[in-house]
Amino acid sequence: MEKTKENVYELMQSKYIHKQKTSNTDRLQLNIRSFADKTYLTVGENCVLNCTINMGDCHIDIGDRVMINDGTTFFCVNGISIGNDVMISWGCTLIDNNSHSIISSERLKDTVVARQEYEAGTLGNNTDWSTVKNAPIIIKDKAWIGFNSIIMKGVTIGEGAVIGAGSVVTKDVPDYAVVGGNPATVIKYTT
């Protein structure tokens, strides 16, 4: 069988993604940097994923009735868990890692080989993730993340929480809290 963009997509959908038939991932762009024979993404029922997911050897778990809009990008090397009935607006970023070490001598290799990897289509494949801080992101049921928000590594967003548009979330958000700003702080509570 000739390899085409369409049948590569079908292989990705069947081999690396476990999704319920009621969910739509037609506009999902999944970029896996290190392939193993495993499921990388689990998607529940009645979800719509219009986003880009860039991931290493990790797992993303998405519950039921989750809507992730256009322009939202995930960068995952540890793990991301999203509960049920969650809405993530357009233009958001969820990143469970620092992307590079904060120590200049440790990230030197990244700068030296970046152009070569970019041209070869392997950008990030040879990153030494042991020097990069990472922690899982957890988004609990019924949360709503406003457009252009950034959710950083190690954050748990509580049940029913609302993240105001353009917020940068660097710390845990309590259940039913409404937060906003950079860094995001509690504005009030909702039900």
Side-chain angles (χ1 to χ4, degrees), residues 5-16:
K5 186 176 180 179
E6 290 76 25
N7 63 27
V8 169
Y9 176 76
E10 288 173 18
L11 172 67
M12 295 272 295
Q13 289 281 322
S14 63
K15 187 169 184 176
Y16 302 113

Side-chain angles (χ1 to χ4, degrees), residues 100 107-127:
H100 302 280
R107 70 176 176 269
L108 179 61
K109 180 183 174 192
D110 296 345
T111 62
V112 169
V113 300
R115 182 178 179 95
Q116 296 156 343
E117 287 186 346
Y118 176 78
E119 290 172 354
T122 60
L123 190 61
N125 287 5
N126 299 309
T127 299

Side-chain angles (χ1 to χ4, degrees), residues 53-60 73-81 93-100 129 132-138 150-155 169:
I53 297 177
N54 301 293
M55 59 193 311
D57 189 15
C58 58
H59 185 80
I60 296 176
T73 304
F74 291 58
F75 296 94
C76 183
V77 299
N78 186 304
I80 297 174
S81 175
T93 300
L94 288 80
I95 184 164
D96 72 354
N97 62 86
N98 282 352
S99 296
H100 302 280
W129 291 105
V132 179
K133 290 186 180 181
N134 65 80
I137 294 172
I138 300 169
I150 301 171
I151 312 302
M152 302 299 290
K153 71 180 182 306
V155 167
V169 183

Side-chain angles (χ1 to χ4, degrees), residues 156-168:
T156 296
I157 295 177
E159 181 175 324
V162 178
I163 310 302
S167 297
V168 178

Side-chain angles (χ1 to χ4, degrees), residues 15-95:
K15 187 169 184 176
Y16 302 113
I17 300 174
H18 179 266
K19 75 174 185 80
Q20 300 300 319
K21 290 182 181 179
T22 58
S23 288
N24 185 323
T25 58
D26 291 347
R27 296 184 64 195
L28 168 67
Q29 181 179 343
L30 180 62
N31 304 310
I32 302 172
R33 294 192 177 184
S34 57
F35 286 96
D37 193 18
K38 69 178 212 171
T39 300
Y40 286 88
L41 176 64
T42 304
V43 181
E45 295 181 358
N46 298 311
C47 296
V48 177
L49 276 59
N50 295 332
C51 58
T52 300
I53 297 177
N54 301 293
M55 59 193 311
D57 189 15
C58 58
H59 185 80
I60 296 176
D61 186 41
I62 297 174
D64 298 332
R65 298 169 304 280
V66 173
M67 175 65 177
I68 304 174
N69 282 293
D70 290 336
T72 289
T73 304
F74 291 58
F75 296 94
C76 183
V77 299
N78 186 304
I80 297 174
S81 175
I82 299 174
N84 300 320
D85 304 304
V86 171
M87 295 187 302
I88 301 177
S89 191
W90 48 269
C92 295
T93 300
L94 288 80
I95 184 164

